[in-house]
Amino acid sequence: QVQLVESGGGLVQAGDSLRLSCAASGHTASNYVMGWFRQAPGKEREFVLAIGRLGVGVVYADSVRGRFTISRDNANNMVYLQMSSLKPEDTAVYYCAAGQLLSIRKNVYSYWGSGTQVTVSP
């Protein structure tokens, strides 16, 4: 079992930057691929970014390529989502997830946090 807790969300303006954090506990985070997903009101949860166990290998959604980056600190069981040039369409609840495969498919991820709200005003 892995417990995931996201933090760092908030209200920002378009063009701003924000960093989300995900703290993992239970099992060692380095045993898992870590991903970020997001869900806007009335929409399905969608893939954002994922990173391999040792930080080698990153998969991006086209909508965030060049603006968002993912990183991990396995020594401290942390995963980060650095977001820049934020747009109103990035407004969503952002979820951290842990799984065994580096994939954009949400059903590959077994463990999920409860999410953190990011709101980008125009």
Side-chain angles (χ1 to χ4, degrees):
Q1 284 278 5
V2 177
Q3 292 78 45
L4 303 172
V5 178
E6 303 93 339
S7 62
L11 173 63
V12 297
Q13 292 186 328
D16 284 352
S17 297
L18 197 63
R19 189 177 82 157
L20 305 183
S21 301
C22 173
S25 60
H27 281 189
T28 304
S30 61
N31 290 336
Y32 297 91
V33 168
M34 300 299 294
W36 286 95
F37 288 75
R38 66 186 181 185
Q39 188 166 15
K43 295 188 177 181
E44 290 200 6
R45 193 170 299 189
E46 65 174 8
F47 171 78
V48 180
L49 286 154
I51 187 168
R53 289 175 177 80
L54 300 180
V56 177
V58 175
V59 181
Y60 292 85
D62 288 342
S63 59
V64 304
R65 188 182 299 272
R67 299 188 301 122
F68 291 11
T69 59
I70 187 172
S71 61
R72 64 190 302 162
D73 177 358
N74 285 340
N76 292 296
N77 286 334
M78 297 293 295
V79 180
Y80 303 100
L81 177 63
Q82 178 68 48
M83 305 183 291
S84 61
S85 301
L86 281 161
K87 305 175 181 180
E89 51 264 44
D90 294 318
T91 295
V93 177
Y94 283 72
Y95 297 90
C96 179
Q100 294 297 329
L101 295 175
L102 188 61
S103 173
I104 67 172
R105 294 165 50 202
K106 53 183 178 288
N107 61 0
V108 165
Y109 295 83
S110 303
Y111 303 101
W112 293 83
S114 58
T116 185
Q117 176 71 46
V118 173
T119 303
V120 184
S121 63

